[in-house]
Amino acid sequence: MKIPVVFLDFYYKDIAEDAVVMEGFYGMYLMTEYLFERGFTRMAYVGSIHAASSIMDRFCGFRRALLEHGIPFRQEWLLEDRDEAGKRKYAGYPGENMKFCRKKAESYCIFS
């Protein structure tokens, strides 16, 4: 007998199971649009996009908004927040992340 499995807030494309996820792509797109409306044009994305499908979804929404505003994505503004083992680099979240972003990107940061 097969045991039903439902993933919450993530999914694996290689495993055909049910998943309940938030609308990360559109949510991040709307958040980025909101920032554009407020005059922000230099934004960094904090998150390790290969760590989880939900992080990648949000990153794609962010990139779409940049494209629609003609803002080139700068690779140095993709700020990885995890090491190779998946451990967060900045334990003082969000305070330490904000300090890192101001120093590294000199921009308004979006957290994943």
Side-chain angles (χ1 to χ4, degrees):
M1 181 171 134
K2 184 178 175 184
I3 298 173
V5 175
V6 178
F7 294 114
L8 297 175
D9 201 31
F10 73 97
Y11 56 89
Y12 291 108
K13 65 181 180 179
D14 298 333
I15 302 173
E17 298 290 342
D18 294 323
V20 177
V21 295
M22 65 176 219
E23 181 48 85
F25 177 93
Y26 190 60
M28 184 59 78
Y29 171 81
L30 289 177
M31 179 194 280
T32 308
E33 283 294 309
Y34 176 83
L35 294 173
F36 275 120
E37 289 170 8
R38 304 284 171 295
F40 293 99
T41 57
R42 295 171 44 179
M43 296 175 239
Y45 186 89
V46 179
S48 297
I49 62 174
H50 299 291
S53 55
S54 57
I55 297 171
M56 176 63 85
D57 291 346
R58 290 189 295 271
F59 177 71
C60 290
F62 171 72
R63 289 289 305 267
R64 178 178 175 178
L66 292 179
L67 283 169
E68 289 182 0
H69 286 271
I71 305 293
F73 177 72
R74 295 174 59 177
Q75 189 64 38
E76 66 268 21
W77 285 9
L78 173 58
L79 308 174
E80 299 285 334
D81 67 345
R82 291 175 174 85
D83 61 20
E84 286 86 27
K87 184 177 177 184
R88 284 194 179 273
K89 291 181 180 180
Y90 313 106
Y93 184 83
E96 289 301 313
N97 278 346
M98 285 301 291
K99 289 178 195 172
F100 173 76
C101 289
R102 285 190 193 112
K103 178 181 174 186
K104 183 80 171 170
E106 299 175 0
S107 65
Y108 190 89
C109 294
I110 297 175
F111 292 94
S112 173

mmCIF file with all atom_site columns, all heavy atoms in Angstrom, residues 9-29:
data_model
loop_
_atom_site.group_PDB
_atom_site.id
_atom_site.type_symbol
_atom_site.label_atom_id
_atom_site.label_alt_id
_atom_site.label_comp_id
_atom_site.label_asym_id
_atom_site.label_entity_id
_atom_site.label_seq_id
_atom_site.pdbx_PDB_ins_code
_atom_site.Cartn_x
_atom_site.Cartn_y
_atom_site.Cartn_z
_atom_site.occupancy
_atom_site.B_iso_or_equiv
_atom_site.pdbx_formal_charge
_atom_site.auth_seq_id
_atom_site.auth_comp_id
_atom_site.auth_asym_id
_atom_site.auth_atom_id
_atom_site.pdbx_PDB_model_num
ATOM 1   N N   . ASP A 1 9  ? 5.412  23.754 1.222   1.00 0.00 ? 9  ASP A N   1
ATOM 2   C CA  . ASP A 1 9  ? 6.267  24.888 0.880   1.00 0.00 ? 9  ASP A CA  1
ATOM 3   C C   . ASP A 1 9  ? 7.550  24.519 0.137   1.00 0.00 ? 9  ASP A C   1
ATOM 4   O O   . ASP A 1 9  ? 8.512  25.253 0.144   1.00 0.00 ? 9  ASP A O   1
ATOM 5   C CB  . ASP A 1 9  ? 6.595  25.742 2.109   1.00 0.00 ? 9  ASP A CB  1
ATOM 6   C CG  . ASP A 1 9  ? 7.036  27.153 1.690   1.00 0.00 ? 9  ASP A CG  1
ATOM 7   O OD1 . ASP A 1 9  ? 6.556  27.638 0.651   1.00 0.00 ? 9  ASP A OD1 1
ATOM 8   O OD2 . ASP A 1 9  ? 7.868  27.744 2.391   1.00 0.00 ? 9  ASP A OD2 1
ATOM 9   N N   . PHE A 1 10 ? 7.585  23.363 -0.472  1.00 0.00 ? 10 PHE A N   1
ATOM 10  C CA  . PHE A 1 10 ? 8.668  23.003 -1.381  1.00 0.00 ? 10 PHE A CA  1
ATOM 11  C C   . PHE A 1 10 ? 8.193  21.813 -2.213  1.00 0.00 ? 10 PHE A C   1
ATOM 12  O O   . PHE A 1 10 ? 7.174  21.201 -1.928  1.00 0.00 ? 10 PHE A O   1
ATOM 13  C CB  . PHE A 1 10 ? 9.968  22.663 -0.631  1.00 0.00 ? 10 PHE A CB  1
ATOM 14  C CG  . PHE A 1 10 ? 9.931  21.344 0.089   1.00 0.00 ? 10 PHE A CG  1
ATOM 15  C CD1 . PHE A 1 10 ? 10.464 20.209 -0.495  1.00 0.00 ? 10 PHE A CD1 1
ATOM 16  C CD2 . PHE A 1 10 ? 9.368  21.251 1.353   1.00 0.00 ? 10 PHE A CD2 1
ATOM 17  C CE1 . PHE A 1 10 ? 10.432 18.993 0.168   1.00 0.00 ? 10 PHE A CE1 1
ATOM 18  C CE2 . PHE A 1 10 ? 9.336  20.044 2.029   1.00 0.00 ? 10 PHE A CE2 1
ATOM 19  C CZ  . PHE A 1 10 ? 9.865  18.916 1.441   1.00 0.00 ? 10 PHE A CZ  1
ATOM 20  N N   . TYR A 1 11 ? 8.933  21.530 -3.255  1.00 0.00 ? 11 TYR A N   1
ATOM 21  C CA  . TYR A 1 11 ? 8.605  20.386 -4.101  1.00 0.00 ? 11 TYR A CA  1
ATOM 22  C C   . TYR A 1 11 ? 9.877  19.914 -4.783  1.00 0.00 ? 11 TYR A C   1
ATOM 23  O O   . TYR A 1 11 ? 10.858 20.639 -4.865  1.00 0.00 ? 11 TYR A O   1
ATOM 24  C CB  . TYR A 1 11 ? 7.546  20.753 -5.142  1.00 0.00 ? 11 TYR A CB  1
ATOM 25  C CG  . TYR A 1 11 ? 7.924  21.925 -6.009  1.00 0.00 ? 11 TYR A CG  1
ATOM 26  C CD1 . TYR A 1 11 ? 8.632  21.745 -7.196  1.00 0.00 ? 11 TYR A CD1 1
ATOM 27  C CD2 . TYR A 1 11 ? 7.600  23.221 -5.642  1.00 0.00 ? 11 TYR A CD2 1
ATOM 28  C CE1 . TYR A 1 11 ? 8.994  22.812 -7.982  1.00 0.00 ? 11 TYR A CE1 1
ATOM 29  C CE2 . TYR A 1 11 ? 7.964  24.299 -6.421  1.00 0.00 ? 11 TYR A CE2 1
ATOM 30  C CZ  . TYR A 1 11 ? 8.659  24.092 -7.594  1.00 0.00 ? 11 TYR A CZ  1
ATOM 31  O OH  . TYR A 1 11 ? 9.026  25.164 -8.357  1.00 0.00 ? 11 TYR A OH  1
ATOM 32  N N   . TYR A 1 12 ? 9.844  18.683 -5.229  1.00 0.00 ? 12 TYR A N   1
ATOM 33  C CA  . TYR A 1 12 ? 10.928 18.128 -6.025  1.00 0.00 ? 12 TYR A CA  1
ATOM 34  C C   . TYR A 1 12 ? 10.353 17.725 -7.368  1.00 0.00 ? 12 TYR A C   1
ATOM 35  O O   . TYR A 1 12 ? 9.400  16.946 -7.437  1.00 0.00 ? 12 TYR A O   1
ATOM 36  C CB  . TYR A 1 12 ? 11.544 16.894 -5.350  1.00 0.00 ? 12 TYR A CB  1
ATOM 37  C CG  . TYR A 1 12 ? 12.312 17.211 -4.090  1.00 0.00 ? 12 TYR A CG  1
ATOM 38  C CD1 . TYR A 1 12 ? 11.820 16.865 -2.848  1.00 0.00 ? 12 TYR A CD1 1
ATOM 39  C CD2 . TYR A 1 12 ? 13.538 17.862 -4.165  1.00 0.00 ? 12 TYR A CD2 1
ATOM 40  C CE1 . TYR A 1 12 ? 12.533 17.161 -1.691  1.00 0.00 ? 12 TYR A CE1 1
ATOM 41  C CE2 . TYR A 1 12 ? 14.256 18.165 -3.020  1.00 0.00 ? 12 TYR A CE2 1
ATOM 42  C CZ  . TYR A 1 12 ? 13.743 17.800 -1.791  1.00 0.00 ? 12 TYR A CZ  1
ATOM 43  O OH  . TYR A 1 12 ? 14.447 18.096 -0.655  1.00 0.00 ? 12 TYR A OH  1
ATOM 44  N N   . LYS A 1 13 ? 10.913 18.275 -8.432  1.00 0.00 ? 13 LYS A N   1
ATOM 45  C CA  . LYS A 1 13 ? 10.381 17.984 -9.756  1.00 0.00 ? 13 LYS A CA  1
ATOM 46  C C   . LYS A 1 13 ? 10.557 16.515 -10.139 1.00 0.00 ? 13 LYS A C   1
ATOM 47  O O   . LYS A 1 13 ? 9.814  16.001 -10.953 1.00 0.00 ? 13 LYS A O   1
ATOM 48  C CB  . LYS A 1 13 ? 11.007 18.892 -10.808 1.00 0.00 ? 13 LYS A CB  1
ATOM 49  C CG  . LYS A 1 13 ? 12.481 18.688 -10.994 1.00 0.00 ? 13 LYS A CG  1
ATOM 50  C CD  . LYS A 1 13 ? 13.033 19.633 -12.024 1.00 0.00 ? 13 LYS A CD  1
ATOM 51  C CE  . LYS A 1 13 ? 14.530 19.394 -12.181 1.00 0.00 ? 13 LYS A CE  1
ATOM 52  N NZ  . LYS A 1 13 ? 15.118 20.250 -13.163 1.00 0.00 ? 13 LYS A NZ  1
ATOM 53  N N   . ASP A 1 14 ? 11.514 15.822 -9.534  1.00 0.00 ? 14 ASP A N   1
ATOM 54  C CA  . ASP A 1 14 ? 11.767 14.417 -9.862  1.00 0.00 ? 14 ASP A CA  1
ATOM 55  C C   . ASP A 1 14 ? 10.843 13.445 -9.127  1.00 0.00 ? 14 ASP A C   1
ATOM 56  O O   . ASP A 1 14 ? 10.829 12.261 -9.434  1.00 0.00 ? 14 ASP A O   1
ATOM 57  C CB  . ASP A 1 14 ? 13.219 14.054 -9.556  1.00 0.00 ? 14 ASP A CB  1
ATOM 58  C CG  . ASP A 1 14 ? 14.193 14.871 -10.388 1.00 0.00 ? 14 ASP A CG  1
ATOM 59  O OD1 . ASP A 1 14 ? 13.806 15.302 -11.497 1.00 0.00 ? 14 ASP A OD1 1
ATOM 60  O OD2 . ASP A 1 14 ? 15.330 15.084 -9.939  1.00 0.00 ? 14 ASP A OD2 1
ATOM 61  N N   . ILE A 1 15 ? 10.115 13.961 -8.142  1.00 0.00 ? 15 ILE A N   1
ATOM 62  C CA  . ILE A 1 15 ? 9.204  13.112 -7.375  1.00 0.00 ? 15 ILE A CA  1
ATOM 63  C C   . ILE A 1 15 ? 7.780  13.574 -7.641  1.00 0.00 ? 15 ILE A C   1
ATOM 64  O O   . ILE A 1 15 ? 7.424  14.707 -7.353  1.00 0.00 ? 15 ILE A O   1
ATOM 65  C CB  . ILE A 1 15 ? 9.499  13.181 -5.862  1.00 0.00 ? 15 ILE A CB  1
ATOM 66  C CG1 . ILE A 1 15 ? 10.932 12.756 -5.573  1.00 0.00 ? 15 ILE A CG1 1
ATOM 67  C CG2 . ILE A 1 15 ? 8.500  12.330 -5.082  1.00 0.00 ? 15 ILE A CG2 1
ATOM 68  C CD1 . ILE A 1 15 ? 11.346 12.946 -4.130  1.00 0.00 ? 15 ILE A CD1 1
ATOM 69  N N   . ALA A 1 16 ? 6.988  12.712 -8.194  1.00 0.00 ? 16 ALA A N   1
ATOM 70  C CA  . ALA A 1 16 ? 5.606  13.076 -8.539  1.00 0.00 ? 16 ALA A CA  1
ATOM 71  C C   . ALA A 1 16 ? 4.707  12.882 -7.325  1.00 0.00 ? 16 ALA A C   1
ATOM 72  O O   . ALA A 1 16 ? 4.087  11.842 -7.147  1.00 0.00 ? 16 ALA A O   1
ATOM 73  C CB  . ALA A 1 16 ? 5.112  12.247 -9.719  1.00 0.00 ? 16 ALA A CB  1
ATOM 74  N N   . GLU A 1 17 ? 4.671  13.859 -6.466  1.00 0.00 ? 17 GLU A N   1
ATOM 75  C CA  . GLU A 1 17 ? 3.810  13.842 -5.284  1.00 0.00 ? 17 GLU A CA  1
ATOM 76  C C   . GLU A 1 17 ? 3.049  15.153 -5.235  1.00 0.00 ? 17 GLU A C   1
ATOM 77  O O   . GLU A 1 17 ? 3.338  16.089 -5.965  1.00 0.00 ? 17 GLU A O   1
ATOM 78  C CB  . GLU A 1 17 ? 4.642  13.667 -3.999  1.00 0.00 ? 17 GLU A CB  1
ATOM 79  C CG  . GLU A 1 17 ? 5.405  12.371 -3.913  1.00 0.00 ? 17 GLU A CG  1
ATOM 80  C CD  . GLU A 1 17 ? 4.512  11.147 -3.710  1.00 0.00 ? 17 GLU A CD  1
ATOM 81  O OE1 . GLU A 1 17 ? 3.352  11.297 -3.310  1.00 0.00 ? 17 GLU A OE1 1
ATOM 82  O OE2 . GLU A 1 17 ? 5.009  10.035 -3.943  1.00 0.00 ? 17 GLU A OE2 1
ATOM 83  N N   . ASP A 1 18 ? 2.093  15.243 -4.332  1.00 0.00 ? 18 ASP A N   1
ATOM 84  C CA  . ASP A 1 18 ? 1.348  16.473 -4.152  1.00 0.00 ? 18 ASP A CA  1
ATOM 85  C C   . ASP A 1 18 ? 2.176  17.469 -3.343  1.00 0.00 ? 18 ASP A C   1
ATOM 86  O O   . ASP A 1 18 ? 2.995  17.084 -2.512  1.00 0.00 ? 18 ASP A O   1
ATOM 87  C CB  . ASP A 1 18 ? 0.032  16.204 -3.416  1.00 0.00 ? 18 ASP A CB  1
ATOM 88  C CG  . ASP A 1 18 ? -0.923 15.360 -4.251  1.00 0.00 ? 18 ASP A CG  1
ATOM 89  O OD1 . ASP A 1 18 ? -0.953 15.565 -5.485  1.00 0.00 ? 18 ASP A OD1 1
ATOM 90  O OD2 . ASP A 1 18 ? -1.633 14.535 -3.683  1.00 0.00 ? 18 ASP A OD2 1
ATOM 91  N N   . ALA A 1 19 ? 1.936  18.757 -3.597  1.00 0.00 ? 19 ALA A N   1
ATOM 92  C CA  . ALA A 1 19 ? 2.648  19.798 -2.859  1.00 0.00 ? 19 ALA A CA  1
ATOM 93  C C   . ALA A 1 19 ? 1.713  20.972 -2.617  1.00 0.00 ? 19 ALA A C   1
ATOM 94  O O   . ALA A 1 19 ? 0.886  21.304 -3.463  1.00 0.00 ? 19 ALA A O   1
ATOM 95  C CB  . ALA A 1 19 ? 3.868  20.266 -3.642  1.00 0.00 ? 19 ALA A CB  1
ATOM 96  N N   . VAL A 1 20 ? 1.841  21.558 -1.458  1.00 0.00 ? 20 VAL A N   1
ATOM 97  C CA  . VAL A 1 20 ? 1.129  22.787 -1.123  1.00 0.00 ? 20 VAL A CA  1
ATOM 98  C C   . VAL A 1 20 ? 2.204  23.849 -0.944  1.00 0.00 ? 20 VAL A C   1
ATOM 99  O O   . VAL A 1 20 ? 3.033  23.760 -0.038  1.00 0.00 ? 20 VAL A O   1
ATOM 100 C CB  . VAL A 1 20 ? 0.306  22.640 0.182   1.00 0.00 ? 20 VAL A CB  1
ATOM 101 C CG1 . VAL A 1 20 ? -0.362 23.950 0.544   1.00 0.00 ? 20 VAL A CG1 1
ATOM 102 C CG2 . VAL A 1 20 ? -0.709 21.518 0.041   1.00 0.00 ? 20 VAL A CG2 1
ATOM 103 N N   . VAL A 1 21 ? 2.222  24.811 -1.850  1.00 0.00 ? 21 VAL A N   1
ATOM 104 C CA  . VAL A 1 21 ? 3.243  25.844 -1.811  1.00 0.00 ? 21 VAL A CA  1
ATOM 105 C C   . VAL A 1 21 ? 2.591  27.215 -1.921  1.00 0.00 ? 21 VAL A C   1
ATOM 106 O O   . VAL A 1 21 ? 1.523  27.367 -2.485  1.00 0.00 ? 21 VAL A O   1
ATOM 107 C CB  . VAL A 1 21 ? 4.279  25.677 -2.947  1.00 0.00 ? 21 VAL A CB  1
ATOM 108 C CG1 . VAL A 1 21 ? 5.078  24.402 -2.776  1.00 0.00 ? 21 VAL A CG1 1
ATOM 109 C CG2 . VAL A 1 21 ? 3.623  25.715 -4.303  1.00 0.00 ? 21 VAL A CG2 1
ATOM 110 N N   . MET A 1 22 ? 3.270  28.214 -1.370  1.00 0.00 ? 22 MET A N   1
ATOM 111 C CA  . MET A 1 22 ? 2.790  29.577 -1.539  1.00 0.00 ? 22 MET A CA  1
ATOM 112 C C   . MET A 1 22 ? 3.169  30.047 -2.932  1.00 0.00 ? 22 MET A C   1
ATOM 113 O O   . MET A 1 22 ? 4.002  29.430 -3.599  1.00 0.00 ? 22 MET A O   1
ATOM 114 C CB  . MET A 1 22 ? 3.389  30.487 -0.478  1.00 0.00 ? 22 MET A CB  1
ATOM 115 C CG  . MET A 1 22 ? 4.880  30.656 -0.570  1.00 0.00 ? 22 MET A CG  1
ATOM 116 S SD  . MET A 1 22 ? 5.427  31.824 0.656   1.00 0.00 ? 22 MET A SD  1
ATOM 117 C CE  . MET A 1 22 ? 6.664  32.685 -0.243  1.00 0.00 ? 22 MET A CE  1
ATOM 118 N N   . GLU A 1 23 ? 2.573  31.111 -3.375  1.00 0.00 ? 23 GLU A N   1
ATOM 119 C CA  . GLU A 1 23 ? 2.867  31.648 -4.701  1.00 0.00 ? 23 GLU A CA  1
ATOM 120 C C   . GLU A 1 23 ? 4.091  32.549 -4.607  1.00 0.00 ? 23 GLU A C   1
ATOM 121 O O   . GLU A 1 23 ? 3.978  33.771 -4.582  1.00 0.00 ? 23 GLU A O   1
ATOM 122 C CB  . GLU A 1 23 ? 1.645  32.395 -5.237  1.00 0.00 ? 23 GLU A CB  1
ATOM 123 C CG  . GLU A 1 23 ? 1.793  32.986 -6.609  1.00 0.00 ? 23 GLU A CG  1
ATOM 124 C CD  . GLU A 1 23 ? 2.359  32.061 -7.653  1.00 0.00 ? 23 GLU A CD  1
ATOM 125 O OE1 . GLU A 1 23 ? 1.597  31.300 -8.250  1.00 0.00 ? 23 GLU A OE1 1
ATOM 126 O OE2 . GLU A 1 23 ? 3.584  32.085 -7.880  1.00 0.00 ? 23 GLU A OE2 1
ATOM 127 N N   . GLY A 1 24 ? 5.266  31.914 -4.508  1.00 0.00 ? 24 GLY A N   1
ATOM 128 C CA  . GLY A 1 24 ? 6.506  32.645 -4.324  1.00 0.00 ? 24 GLY A CA  1
ATOM 129 C C   . GLY A 1 24 ? 6.891  33.504 -5.513  1.00 0.00 ? 24 GLY A C   1
ATOM 130 O O   . GLY A 1 24 ? 7.375  34.619 -5.351  1.00 0.00 ? 24 GLY A O   1
ATOM 131 N N   . PHE A 1 25 ? 6.690  32.984 -6.713  1.00 0.00 ? 25 PHE A N   1
ATOM 132 C CA  . PHE A 1 25 ? 7.053  33.734 -7.918  1.00 0.00 ? 25 PHE A CA  1
ATOM 133 C C   . PHE A 1 25 ? 6.285  35.049 -7.964  1.00 0.00 ? 25 PHE A C   1
ATOM 134 O O   . PHE A 1 25 ? 6.866  36.125 -8.042  1.00 0.00 ? 25 PHE A O   1
ATOM 135 C CB  . PHE A 1 25 ? 6.747  32.899 -9.171  1.00 0.00 ? 25 PHE A CB  1
ATOM 136 C CG  . PHE A 1 25 ? 7.021  33.630 -10.455 1.00 0.00 ? 25 PHE A CG  1
ATOM 137 C CD1 . PHE A 1 25 ? 8.253  33.504 -11.077 1.00 0.00 ? 25 PHE A CD1 1
ATOM 138 C CD2 . PHE A 1 25 ? 6.061  34.439 -11.032 1.00 0.00 ? 25 PHE A CD2 1
ATOM 139 C CE1 . PHE A 1 25 ? 8.512  34.184 -12.262 1.00 0.00 ? 25 PHE A CE1 1
ATOM 140 C CE2 . PHE A 1 25 ? 6.317  35.126 -12.205 1.00 0.00 ? 25 PHE A CE2 1
ATOM 141 C CZ  . PHE A 1 25 ? 7.545  35.004 -12.825 1.00 0.00 ? 25 PHE A CZ  1
ATOM 142 N N   . TYR A 1 26 ? 4.970  34.957 -7.905  1.00 0.00 ? 26 TYR A N   1
ATOM 143 C CA  . TYR A 1 26 ? 4.141  36.158 -8.032  1.00 0.00 ? 26 TYR A CA  1
ATOM 144 C C   . TYR A 1 26 ? 4.283  37.058 -6.813  1.00 0.00 ? 26 TYR A C   1
ATOM 145 O O   . TYR A 1 26 ? 4.286  38.280 -6.935  1.00 0.00 ? 26 TYR A O   1
ATOM 146 C CB  . TYR A 1 26 ? 2.681  35.768 -8.262  1.00 0.00 ? 26 TYR A CB  1
ATOM 147 C CG  . TYR A 1 26 ? 1.805  36.930 -8.648  1.00 0.00 ? 26 TYR A CG  1
ATOM 148 C CD1 . TYR A 1 26 ? 2.063  37.665 -9.800  1.00 0.00 ? 26 TYR A CD1 1
ATOM 149 C CD2 . TYR A 1 26 ? 0.727  37.296 -7.856  1.00 0.00 ? 26 TYR A CD2 1
ATOM 150 C CE1 . TYR A 1 26 ? 1.276  38.741 -10.156 1.00 0.00 ? 26 TYR A CE1 1
ATOM 151 C CE2 . TYR A 1 26 ? -0.075 38.367 -8.201  1.00 0.00 ? 26 TYR A CE2 1
ATOM 152 C CZ  . TYR A 1 26 ? 0.199  39.086 -9.350  1.00 0.00 ? 26 TYR A CZ  1
ATOM 153 O OH  . TYR A 1 26 ? -0.587 40.153 -9.696  1.00 0.00 ? 26 TYR A OH  1
ATOM 154 N N   . GLY A 1 27 ? 4.409  36.469 -5.631  1.00 0.00 ? 27 GLY A N   1
ATOM 155 C CA  . GLY A 1 27 ? 4.587  37.264 -4.419  1.00 0.00 ? 27 GLY A CA  1
ATOM 156 C C   . GLY A 1 27 ? 5.847  38.108 -4.477  1.00 0.00 ? 27 GLY A C   1
ATOM 157 O O   . GLY A 1 27 ? 5.828  39.298 -4.136  1.00 0.00 ? 27 GLY A O   1
ATOM 158 N N   . MET A 1 28 ? 6.967  37.526 -4.898  1.00 0.00 ? 28 MET A N   1
ATOM 159 C CA  . MET A 1 28 ? 8.211  38.281 -4.996  1.00 0.00 ? 28 MET A CA  1
ATOM 160 C C   . MET A 1 28 ? 8.142  39.296 -6.131  1.00 0.00 ? 28 MET A C   1
ATOM 161 O O   . MET A 1 28 ? 8.675  40.400 -6.018  1.00 0.00 ? 28 MET A O   1
ATOM 162 C CB  . MET A 1 28 ? 9.402  37.346 -5.186  1.00 0.00 ? 28 MET A CB  1
ATOM 163 C CG  . MET A 1 28 ? 10.735 38.072 -5.204  1.00 0.00 ? 28 MET A CG  1
ATOM 164 S SD  . MET A 1 28 ? 11.087 39.018 -3.701  1.00 0.00 ? 28 MET A SD  1
ATOM 165 C CE  . MET A 1 28 ? 11.580 37.713 -2.604  1.00 0.00 ? 28 MET A CE  1
ATOM 166 N N   . TYR A 1 29 ? 7.462  38.924 -7.218  1.00 0.00 ? 29 TYR A N   1
ATOM 167 C CA  . TYR A 1 29 ? 7.267  39.869 -8.311  1.00 0.00 ? 29 TYR A CA  1
ATOM 168 C C   . TYR A 1 29 ? 6.523  41.103 -7.794  1.00 0.00 ? 29 TYR A C   1
ATOM 169 O O   . TYR A 1 29 ? 6.934  42.237 -8.045  1.00 0.00 ? 29 TYR A O   1
ATOM 170 C CB  . TYR A 1 29 ? 6.491  39.192 -9.445  1.00 0.00 ? 29 TYR A CB  1
ATOM 171 C CG  . TYR A 1 29 ? 6.049  40.138 -10.525 1.00 0.00 ? 29 TYR A CG  1
ATOM 172 C CD1 . TYR A 1 29 ? 6.934  40.536 -11.528 1.00 0.00 ? 29 TYR A CD1 1
ATOM 173 C CD2 . TYR A 1 29 ? 4.752  40.634 -10.551 1.00 0.00 ? 29 TYR A CD2 1
ATOM 174 C CE1 . TYR A 1 29 ? 6.531  41.412 -12.523 1.00 0.00 ? 29 TYR A CE1 1
ATOM 175 C CE2 . TYR A 1 29 ? 4.342  41.509 -11.534 1.00 0.00 ? 29 TYR A CE2 1
ATOM 176 C CZ  . TYR A 1 29 ? 5.235  41.901 -12.519 1.00 0.00 ? 29 TYR A CZ  1
ATOM 177 O OH  . TYR A 1 29 ? 4.830  42.774 -13.498 1.00 0.00 ? 29 TYR A OH  1
#
